[in-house]
Amino acid sequence: MLFITKFFRTLLFKKYDQFAVELGYPNWKLAEENTFFISRIPEDAQWNATQLPNKSWAIWNDEGQPPFSFQVYPTWEEAIKHLRCLFEKSGYPEENWDPEGFEPGDDVFISQPDKEKID
């Protein structure tokens, strides 16, 4: 049983590494360091934004299995505005919108997220 669990974990991590390469990173660890949670999708998924090595932003959700599809925006402002539009069109409860990397009162549509502001 342990072998099967280890096999599936290895397979899943390879898929995350493949996704990271598609985002322009050599592995998932580096991509994850530049990824920010934006909003929750009921039941168990979420929207994320990843700053790419060229400083553009990719938005993606983790529904299904990696590699995930994503859209790239040249600026944070364009990426977060698009995510907010998707969020509002979906009719999710407001408590599901909780972009990380900001302190209370920060304008998420102007300033970029900061990993130092994550609990």
Side-chain angles (χ1 to χ4, degrees):
M1 183 69 151
L2 181 60
F3 173 76
I4 293 171
T5 303
K6 188 174 181 179
F7 172 76
F8 283 116
R9 187 177 325 146
T10 301
L11 184 62
L12 183 62
F13 281 120
K14 284 183 182 179
K15 289 184 176 186
Y16 273 98
D17 280 340
Q18 178 185 349
F19 177 54
V21 168
E22 290 177 14
L23 292 173
Y25 287 97
N27 58 55
W28 175 243
K29 185 178 188 310
L30 289 172
E32 188 176 38
E33 289 173 2
N34 291 285
T35 297
F36 297 86
F37 166 84
I38 303 299
S39 66
R40 194 159 329 288
I41 303 170
E43 292 297 315
D44 62 354
Q46 65 187 39
W47 276 102
N48 302 283
T50 302
Q51 187 174 36
L52 304 179
N54 68 3
K55 303 301 179 202
S56 61
W57 288 87
I59 61 169
W60 55 279
N61 69 54
D62 63 357
E63 291 181 305
Q65 297 294 317
F68 306 110
S69 61
F70 59 93
Q71 294 175 283
V72 176
Y73 294 86
T75 66
W76 167 255
E77 183 180 355
E78 291 173 82
I80 195 68
K81 284 181 178 179
H82 184 79
L83 282 171
R84 184 61 194 192
C85 275
L86 290 173
F87 180 82
E88 289 176 359
K89 285 180 184 176
S90 298
Y92 298 138
E94 194 60 37
E95 60 265 15
N96 288 20
W97 180 262
D98 189 23
E100 74 177 345
F102 297 95
E103 293 182 8
D106 286 350
D107 187 339
V108 301
F109 299 102
I110 295 175
S111 58
Q112 294 187 17
D114 182 349
K115 284 286 183 180
E116 306 238 345
K117 294 182 178 181
I118 298 175
D119 295 337

